[in-house]
Amino acid sequence: VKLVLSGRFASDAERRRFRLEAESAAQVRHPNVVQVYEVGEHGGCPFLAMEWVGGGSLADRLDGRPWPPAAAAGLVE
């Protein structure tokens, strides 16, 4: 699930941008792109529900230092 960072306090412009991005992503069908299942709002907070992809988050893998090119290419692959 992805949420707008400012949650229910999001401005109208933030909500529009989030919905546009979410609806655009939901139209993409490709085996290498995470599928968006639902776009909506709950308790005043805009959200999108996406396909689960195992393996941890990108943030968990990055430590702020450059990776060797082969390792970076493997991660992207």
Side-chain angles (χ1 to χ4, degrees):
V1 174
K2 180 177 180 177
L3 303 170
V4 172
L5 185 60
S6 52
R8 62 187 179 105
F9 302 108
S11 69
D12 288 340
E14 288 174 302
R15 289 172 184 272
R16 280 192 302 274
R17 192 182 98 223
F18 183 83
R19 180 165 285 282
L20 178 62
E21 288 181 20
E23 290 174 349
S24 296
Q27 294 178 29
V28 176
R29 301 283 187 270
H30 189 278
N32 296 332
V33 175
V34 174
Q35 182 64 53
V36 174
Y37 294 129
E38 184 178 358
V39 178
E41 193 171 301
H42 179 75
C45 296
F47 74 89
L48 64 101
M50 300 177 290
E51 171 185 11
W52 171 257
V53 177
S57 74
L58 181 59
D60 292 340
R61 303 287 304 271
L62 302 178
D63 61 6
R65 293 178 289 168
W67 283 33
L75 177 64
V76 171
E77 182 183 30

